[in-house]
Amino acid sequence: MHKYRSHTCSEITKKNSGKTVKLSGWIHRKRDHGNLLFFDLRDHFGLTQCVVENTNEFFKVVEKIRPESVVCVVGKVVDRSSETINKDLFTGEVELKISSFEVLSEAKDLPMPVFGEQDYPEDIRLKYRFLDLRRQEMHENIILRSKVISFIRNKMIADGFLEFQTPILTASSPEGARDFLVPSRMHPGKFYALPQAPQQFKQMVMISGFDKYFQIAPCFRDEDGRADRSPGEHYQLDMEMSFVEQGDIFKIVEPLFFSLFKEFGKGKDVSEIPFKKITYKSSMLKYGTDKPDLRNPIEICDVTAIMKREDVKLDIFKKIIEKGGVVRAIPAPNTSSKARSFFDGYNNWAKEEGAKGLGYIILAKDNGKLIGKGPIGKFFSEEAIGELVKVCKIMIQYFFLLTK
């Protein structure tokens, strides 16, 4: 038998019942039932429950051993009783009855437990990163990262790309952030810079005559940390292609990301390819940003034509339109219960952003008729209100009107 294990902690099932196996791993957690001691043994692959009776020569050792100690155990695989089966565990139908127990590395008291997914201060997690990465969620995140990178690499190679590694120590080539500098031993007083992106090197690759390049590249930037990456560095998929147009890039990137999210999206809906394309101008006009979240149903609507109507008595808007301005409306659902201060706050914000202000109208029904309430509601006829509802595709709700 192998010195450390015959199986991993995720392999033991009923088909192994009655067999003697050897496992190595970490003590995940213990449960003392008096005459019996149970502990979960954990390795990279999973968990197996082990049991020690008080008549066992190793009972006292197991009783004193701390969680996260590394042990090697030998035992007989036995079936669990029907009422003790753990359906959430792949090995939950069996347990290991210990006949040999060897401590490979004994743990001291832990600064943070591995069992459970409680939140701990970031400084503790970073100081004891090796413990933090043993936690199930973090462990699975690292595995996911590895699988995603491997998936991307295989897809790019299948599409005819060559993977190159570009230099890390280089001359400064600013990319919008500060450089990390590394003192030169050979040239006192001078420094190397860590690359913010492999931009110059990949361009050298392309002018050298290679056709398709990619790299999963580290990018070092001396900037504050963000929610989606550690301070100072992140990794990105970098690619270059020769003799291509914009459409050729889409043909490579869209299938890659579609299949990537299909594979690792845990069943979430993924937009079919080709992806919907929005021009910059259209995006800014409809969503107010060049990176809209299309899950948000709110769209900014052009209501300039409505403001020109004879049955809309708002001279301030008409004057703006006469000067070449436009009027846009933002539907604001679920705000009917908001206090006046809510709308005044937005009006003040609009002024801080450089606008002269904004008006709002409350849409409601009165005796079956659609009417407008609020500061400017009285200036709209029923027909004009109906046209607002139609153009902006809204139900009865609050409405912001912006001027430009």
Side-chain angles (χ1 to χ4, degrees), residues 75-338:
K76 184 179 180 180
V77 179
V78 296
D79 293 343
R80 294 198 203 184
S81 60
S82 57
E83 62 272 13
T84 61
I85 290 176
N86 185 348
K87 295 181 179 179
D88 296 327
L89 202 61
F90 183 74
T91 60
E93 293 183 310
V94 296
E95 59 191 13
L96 196 66
K97 191 173 183 180
I98 298 301
S99 60
S100 175
F101 186 90
E102 179 185 1
V103 179
L104 301 178
S105 179
E106 186 172 357
K108 298 179 180 179
D109 290 330
L110 299 176
M112 56 178 286
V114 172
F115 171 71
E117 293 298 329
Q118 303 95 328
D119 288 328
Y120 292 93
E122 192 173 77
D123 58 335
I124 296 295
R125 293 178 58 192
L126 291 174
K127 183 177 181 180
Y128 301 100
R129 188 62 165 164
F130 63 96
L131 289 178
D132 188 43
L133 294 182
R134 293 183 190 180
R135 298 162 64 198
Q136 183 178 358
E137 181 181 6
M138 296 304 301
H139 203 78
E140 290 177 351
N141 285 346
I142 297 297
I143 294 172
L144 175 62
R145 177 190 174 97
S146 175
K147 290 181 177 179
V148 167
I149 290 175
S150 179
F151 184 91
I152 292 173
R153 175 173 286 115
N154 291 335
K155 291 286 288 183
M156 296 300 288
I157 292 173
D159 284 333
F161 285 79
L162 296 175
E163 182 178 13
F164 297 128
Q165 286 72 44
T166 53
I168 295 299
L169 294 177
T170 181
S172 177
S173 57
E175 294 277 348
R178 291 179 294 271
D179 286 323
F180 277 112
L181 300 179
V182 180
S184 170
R185 178 180 62 84
M186 298 295 293
H187 305 282
K190 296 186 178 181
F191 296 81
Y192 296 104
L194 300 182
Q196 295 187 34
Q199 186 68 35
Q200 291 182 339
F201 298 111
K202 71 178 183 180
Q203 289 174 345
M204 290 174 62
V205 167
M206 300 313 292
I207 63 175
S208 298
F210 296 97
D211 194 68
K212 295 179 182 178
Y213 143 94
F214 87 97
Q215 183 182 6
I216 299 168
C219 299
F220 303 96
R221 300 181 179 186
D222 187 5
E223 58 188 8
D224 295 336
R226 302 184 185 182
D228 60 351
R229 63 177 179 257
S230 300
E233 71 171 56
H234 71 275
Y235 282 76
Q236 66 187 31
L237 172 61
D238 223 284
M239 56 182 287
E240 290 280 347
M241 301 168 65
S242 295
F243 308 111
V244 293
E245 299 178 305
Q246 183 184 75
D248 298 305
I249 304 296
F250 289 149
K251 289 177 183 177
I252 292 294
V253 174
E254 289 186 355
L256 169 64
F257 280 93
F258 175 78
S259 54
L260 181 67
F261 283 94
K262 272 289 187 183
E263 179 73 18
F264 300 104
K266 296 182 179 179
K268 292 184 173 64
D269 291 334
V270 183
S271 300
E272 295 292 333
I273 52 178
F275 294 149
K276 181 179 180 181
K277 296 174 179 62
I278 307 172
T279 65
Y280 174 81
K281 181 178 180 180
S282 175
S283 181
M284 294 301 293
L285 290 177
K286 290 179 68 174
Y287 306 105
T289 176
D290 61 350
K291 45 184 182 297
D293 184 344
L294 299 183
R295 294 172 297 182
N296 187 340
I298 296 177
E299 294 183 4
I300 302 172
C301 307
D302 189 334
V303 294
T304 305
I306 297 174
M307 295 299 117
K308 293 180 178 179
R309 292 170 60 109
E310 292 294 329
D311 52 355
V312 175
K313 308 297 184 182
L314 276 169
D315 291 339
I316 184 172
F317 286 111
K318 295 183 184 298
K319 291 178 180 179
I320 290 172
I321 295 170
E322 289 173 359
K323 294 178 181 179
V326 296
V327 182
R328 305 191 187 282
I330 305 175
N334 304 318
T335 55
S336 58
S337 60
K338 299 294 184 181

